[in-house]
Amino acid sequence: DTAVSQTPKYLVTQMGNDKSIKCEQNLGHDTMYWYKQDSKKFLKIMFSYNNKELIINETVPNRFSPKSPDKAHLNLHINSLELGDSAVYFCASSQEAYSGANVLTFGAGSRLTVL
Amino acid sequence: GDSVTQMEGPVTLSEEAFLTINCTYTATGYPSLFWYVQYPGEGLQLLLKATKADDKGSNKGFEATYRKETTSFHLEKGSVQVSDSAVYFCALSDRGTGGFKTIFGAGTRLFVKA
């Protein structure tokens, strides 16, 4: 049973379209994250939710809108896709947000290609 | 702001060679330090961690020691295997305005030849 699962695994779409990526964790964790990994493997945090509440919102364009319907789910919706949005998006979870020793558990990633 | 710097790759070694991947950090607080590994087509997974100065994290033959005086957390393994080929990420977790945030280095790709 996959601990953090993301769908879809691959997404190919045209510029200007809107798309969503879904994430679910079955670990009972309180905190979930979205990270973006670019073509050079650089990994950057985008958002973090703790018990459905947004707690970290990095400098990300407004076209990106996360939603957490409950603490086990965190979705990412992207409007008006641009070429520069092409990347691998990773969902992750951790037991809680307020411990430095937190270990992140990652999903397998969703590769988005914008043509 | 906080940052993590690790040696650029790729690193190419023969099987049974000694591995060192250097990692240094800057942080405003007293961070926890981690090494994560990413195998092809997969998400990152924790390799080892250390939460305070002089702690040594170890797992699967890999080791790293939290050195506060040199702000470093270098990864070592005495004898690498082909199956160790992957991308290795050094990371820190430090308190930010919204809770603790994990920041990653740029990753170092390791190739191990048989």
Side-chain angles (χ1 to χ4, degrees):
Chain A
D1 208 14
T2 307
V4 180
S5 57
Q6 307 179 215
T7 54
K9 193 168 171 62
Y10 300 98
L11 194 49
V12 180
T13 188
Q14 301 287 332
M15 261 195 319
N17 283 352
D18 304 339
K19 289 294 176 188
S20 291
I21 306 171
K22 295 186 174 187
C23 179
E24 175 181 4
Q25 55 96 0
N26 63 6
L27 297 167
H29 287 172
D30 285 347
T31 312
M32 296 183 74
Y33 310 80
W34 280 113
Y35 279 83
K36 179 181 179 181
Q37 186 176 49
D38 64 22
S39 57
K40 295 185 177 175
K41 296 291 190 185
F42 186 67
L43 205 64
K44 187 168 165 47
I45 189 168
M46 301 172 68
F47 303 103
S48 173
Y49 273 76
N50 187 61
N51 273 320
K52 306 192 296 176
E53 180 190 346
L54 180 66
I55 57 169
I56 293 175
N57 184 352
E58 293 293 286
T59 311
V60 176
N62 289 341
R63 300 181 294 103
F64 289 79
S65 49
K67 274 202 174 66
S68 182
D70 56 63
K71 76 173 193 177
H73 295 85
L74 179 61
N75 304 323
L76 183 66
H77 187 76
I78 316 170
N79 289 325
S80 305
L81 279 155
E82 300 177 359
L83 293 177
D85 297 332
S86 295
V88 181
Y89 292 84
F90 284 100
C91 178
S93 70
S94 67
Q95 199 151 6
E96 44 124 339
Y98 304 107
S99 166
N102 260 336
V103 173
L104 300 181
T105 302
F106 282 84
S110 297
R111 181 178 294 276
L112 171 65
T113 303
V114 182
L115 304 174
Chain B
D2 293 0
S3 66
V4 176
T5 303
Q6 59 183 106
M7 62 189 282
E8 279 194 40
V11 173
T12 303
L13 296 173
S14 297
E15 213 166 18
E16 299 183 7
F18 185 86
L19 169 71
T20 300
I21 301 178
N22 289 338
C23 171
T24 58
Y25 67 90
T26 59
T28 50
Y30 195 157
S32 294
L33 302 175
F34 305 82
W35 279 99
Y36 284 82
V37 59
Q38 184 179 29
Y39 298 101
E42 298 183 12
L44 281 72
Q45 54 187 275
L46 179 73
L47 182 58
L48 52 84
K49 71 176 185 181
T51 57
K52 61 183 189 298
D54 300 325
D55 264 4
K56 179 188 280 189
S58 61
N59 186 25
K60 299 182 184 177
F62 291 90
E63 293 183 341
T65 302
Y66 190 142
R67 300 282 186 209
K68 195 163 186 284
E69 64 276 12
T70 53
T71 61
S72 65
F73 193 53
H74 305 319
L75 182 69
E76 295 181 337
K77 186 174 185 183
S79 174
V80 293
Q81 306 300 313
V82 172
S83 57
D84 294 326
S85 298
V87 182
Y88 292 81
F89 292 88
C90 186
L92 68 81
S93 175
D94 198 9
R95 187 184 290 278
T97 51
F100 281 83
K101 186 161 64 174
T102 301
I103 293 167
F104 291 85
T108 302
R109 186 180 294 277
L110 170 66
F111 292 106
V112 180
K113 302 181 297 186

